[in-house]
Amino acid sequence: MLLSQLPEDVLYQILAFLDCKSLCRLSQVCRNIRRVVNRDVVWRKIAKDFLNTGITWNGTDIYHHVPLKERVKLAQNWSKGVCKRSIPLKWKTKLLPWLQLDVDVLYLSQAAQIGAYHLHHESKRLQRSPFEIYSGHEGDVCRFVLTDSHLISGGSDGRILVHSRRSDVSWGLAGHSQEVNCLDSKNGLIVSGSRDRTVGIWTLTSSSPRATIAMFDRVWSVAISPTLSSFVTGTACCENFSPLRIWDVERSACVCTLGSEFRRGAGVLDIQFESPFQLLTCGYDTFIRLWDLRLSPQRCVLQWEEPHDSTLYCIQTDSNHMIASGSSYYGVVRLWDKRRTQCLQFFQLSSDTVSSPVYCLRLSCSHLYAALATSLHSLDFRQNPTGIR
C-alpha cells in the first residue's frame, strides 16, 4: 500500500513523529501528500513550540484565519529577527501615543484624537489617512482600549469617554480630578487609574463610578483578570508599600500584594495577563516579571532584565513563549523567549541623535507595530522565510 493510500487518521499518527523540515520535504512528494501535510492539524503540535504562531498556552488559536504552516514560516523570522522596517506615519509634535490592533484596523491616539486606519489585507500597509476619528477630550488621550462594541479612552482632562464602534453615539464618565493614566475594560466592566491617586470601577451603563478606591500613590497601570473577579493595579512605588496589588471587583478590597523587594520609585508601567493565573509586569526597575497567582504566597517565578538598564514602558505577549518589550531609550524593541534568560532579538527604531521611548507595542502574526514620540514604526516579518516551502 502506498503512503497516500493509508487512512487519514493513520497518516496523521505517522506525521506526528516528523519535525518541521521532514514535513516540508514530504510535502514535495506528490499533490495528495502535500494536501494532507498542509492541513493545520499536522502543524498544530509543532506550532506550539514556535514564537508567535497564535497557539496560546491553553491551545486557543488567535490567528485561525491564517494557515498554521504559513505561521510556522513566519515564526522562524521572528526568532531570527528577519524583518523589513518601515515608518508608515510621522508627526512633528512629540506625543505619548497609544495603539490598539483589531485584525485589519490599527487605532492610534495622537494628542486629543484617536484615528482608525485600515491595514491592506494582503500587504498590511497602513493607509495614510484614518477612515474614522474619535474625539471629545479637552486634553491628550493617555490610554484607550477596545471592546467588541466600544472604544473607551482616558484623557489628561480626567475624563473617560465611551465611543460606540457601531454608531456615532458617545458619552463621558467623570470621576477623576487629574489625568487618567491607565484603564482596562472587559465584559462591560471598566477600571481606571489616575495621577490623582485613585482607582475607579465603572460599568458601561453608569455615568459615575460604582466604587472609588484611594491608592495613596499615583496609578500607572491596571489590568482586569480574564475571570472578571479581580483586577491588578501598578503604582509609582513612591510610598512604603508594594506597587502591585490585586483587588476584588465586588468588594473593592485588596486581596493581596505581589512582591516585597521593590526599591523606591520602581513603578509598574504595564501589566498583561498571560492567563487567569499568570501575570506579566514591567516598569522603572528594568525587569519583566512573570507572577504565578496559583502559588501561596503568590510570587514572581521568572524574570528578565533589560540589558542596558533602561525603563521598560510596555510589553506584549503571544500568550505562549514570546514577549516583546519597549524601552525608554532609542526606541529599542526586544523580543524574548520565555524559555531563555537572555534577549532573543533587539531592534533600535530611533536614531542615536534622537532618542524616544517605545510607548506602545502591538503584534499580529506577521507584524510588530511600535509607537514612538514622533512616529509609528512597522516591522514586517514576512521576509523570505527559509526552511519551509
Side-chain angles (χ1 to χ4, degrees), residues 102 107 132 134 144-153 161-171 185-190 203-205:
D102 184 14
Y107 295 81
E132 191 165 3
Y134 300 88
F144 68 94
V145 294
L146 296 177
T147 67
D148 290 339
S149 56
H150 295 89
L151 184 151
I152 306 164
S153 60
L161 295 182
V162 181
H163 306 270
S164 172
R165 297 175 63 189
R166 298 169 183 170
S167 66
D168 294 331
V169 177
S170 63
W171 62 94
S185 178
K186 286 183 176 67
N187 200 31
L189 175 69
I190 302 172
T203 61
L204 285 175
T205 56

Side-chain angles (χ1 to χ4, degrees), residues 142-143 153-156 158-160 175-184 190-202 212-213 215 217-223 231-235:
C142 299
R143 289 287 189 275
S153 60
S156 60
R159 299 174 65 213
I160 297 172
H176 290 292
S177 60
Q178 297 184 43
E179 58 258 46
V180 180
N181 292 322
C182 52
L183 58 84
D184 195 11
I190 302 172
V191 177
S192 62
S194 172
R195 182 181 284 270
D196 67 7
R197 303 186 176 194
T198 64
V199 165
I201 303 175
W202 318 71
T212 300
I213 304 172
M215 299 293 294
D217 207 348
R218 289 165 292 173
V219 185
W220 291 137
S221 53
V222 296
F231 64 91
V232 183
T233 58
T235 59

Side-chain angles (χ1 to χ4, degrees), residues 256-291:
C256 68
T257 60
L258 300 179
S260 59
E261 298 179 357
F262 289 93
R263 65 176 184 268
R264 187 176 179 84
V268 177
L269 295 177
D270 201 5
I271 302 172
Q272 297 279 322
F273 269 98
E274 183 90 320
S275 71
F277 50 82
Q278 287 187 317
L279 189 71
L280 286 165
T281 64
C282 71
Y284 285 111
D285 66 352
T286 76
F287 280 92
I288 302 171
R289 288 187 170 90
L290 176 65
W291 305 84

Side-chain angles (χ1 to χ4, degrees), residues 15-72:
L15 298 179
F17 289 95
L18 301 183
D19 60 15
C20 182
K21 186 175 292 187
S22 300
L23 283 173
C24 294
R25 290 172 176 171
L26 182 61
S27 69
Q28 299 177 59
V29 171
C30 68
R31 290 182 180 177
N32 288 337
I33 293 294
R34 184 178 183 86
R35 175 180 56 83
V36 175
V37 170
N38 284 355
R39 291 179 179 172
D40 281 2
V41 66
V42 176
W43 291 89
R44 193 170 185 86
K45 180 180 177 182
I46 292 174
K48 289 180 180 179
D49 291 330
F50 280 80
L51 301 183
N52 199 32
T53 57
I55 305 298
T56 66
W57 66 274
N58 63 355
T60 303
D61 192 347
I62 300 174
Y63 310 127
H64 54 84
H65 57 287
V66 182
L68 263 178
K69 181 181 177 181
E70 179 66 24
R71 284 182 264 166
V72 173

